[in-house]
Amino acid sequence: YFEAEIHQALRIKAATTHQSVSEVVNEAVRIALSEDQEDLNAISQRADEESLSYEELLEDLKSRGKI
């Protein structure tokens, strides 16, 4: 079940877009899943890149005058 405020917002969005609540929710879930897939693809493409520790990142930023 949705929290009352979320459900109200969904009902209002559905009414203003001439969709059912189910259609609004399905669209939101599709978008979230698509974004997840994009993230996984980006991670996969960068799998062979060298890792950088947080300390190394800070040192690099400092050496380039960014911090």
Side-chain angles (χ1 to χ4, degrees):
Y1 295 97
F2 294 111
E3 296 174 13
E5 296 86 5
I6 299 294
H7 191 235
Q8 181 180 9
L10 285 169
R11 286 193 329 259
I12 291 170
K13 179 165 177 122
T16 60
T17 59
H18 307 289
Q19 296 177 304
S20 69
V21 170
S22 181
E23 289 171 319
V24 172
V25 170
N26 283 331
E27 180 181 356
V29 170
R30 279 189 201 97
I31 291 169
L33 292 173
S34 177
E35 290 172 353
D36 287 349
Q37 186 60 51
E38 290 174 11
D39 292 344
L40 292 171
N41 288 340
I43 290 168
S44 177
Q45 291 173 357
R46 299 183 73 175
D48 294 331
E49 289 184 13
E50 184 177 327
S51 294
L52 190 63
S53 73
Y54 182 67
E55 291 81 7
E56 291 169 322
L57 172 63
L58 291 178
E59 187 58 40
D60 178 59
L61 291 172
K62 184 177 178 183
S63 71
R64 294 186 294 126
K66 301 292 182 179
I67 58 171

